[in-house]
């Protein structure tokens, strides 16, 4: 989802979910994973209308029937972009 906000701010956000089955996983039991990811970013032009700064956040979590494959992760980012 992309939304334009006041003060030339742009907001992007989204959610993804995926599953994966590992039917030939050794050792038993059969491994099945589910992962969820949520992200959001805010973008704004700087002093030049072609120069943008973006602040982003991503949260990911994975659940599995095999304990060592489970995790939670948070990622923060800052990016500068120049469009010609």
């Amino acid at each position: 989802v992309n939304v334009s906000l006041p003060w030339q701010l742009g907001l992007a956000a989204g959610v993804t979910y995926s599953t994966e089955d590992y039917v030939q996983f050794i050792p038993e039991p059969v491994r099945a994973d589910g992962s969820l990811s949520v992200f959001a970013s805010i973008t704004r032009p700087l002093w030049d209308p072609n120069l943008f700064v973006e602040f982003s956040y991503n949260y990911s979590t994975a659940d599995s029937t095999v304990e060592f494959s489970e995790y939670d992760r948070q990622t923060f980012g800052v990016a500068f972009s120049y469009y010609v």
Side-chain angles (χ1 to χ4, degrees):
V1 174
N2 291 312
V3 178
S4 294
L5 301 173
W7 304 295
Q8 297 181 317
L9 292 174
L11 172 67
V15 175
T16 60
Y17 180 78
S18 64
T19 60
E20 186 74 33
D21 293 326
Y22 298 88
V23 293
Q24 297 178 352
F25 182 74
I26 298 174
E28 294 289 334
V30 174
R31 178 179 161 191
D33 293 359
S35 61
L36 174 70
S37 180
V38 178
F39 75 90
S41 67
I42 293 182
T43 306
R44 185 181 194 293
L46 296 176
W47 57 88
D48 183 320
N50 296 329
L51 180 63
F52 290 82
V53 62
E54 176 182 11
F55 299 96
S56 61
Y57 172 76
N58 188 344
Y59 173 77
S60 300
T61 185
D63 293 318
S64 178
T65 55
V66 178
E67 187 175 345
F68 73 82
S69 298
E70 297 181 339
Y71 65 87
D72 293 318
R73 175 176 51 209
Q74 295 186 64
T75 308
F76 298 88
V78 176
F80 294 91
S81 302
Y82 187 81
Y83 298 97
V84 290

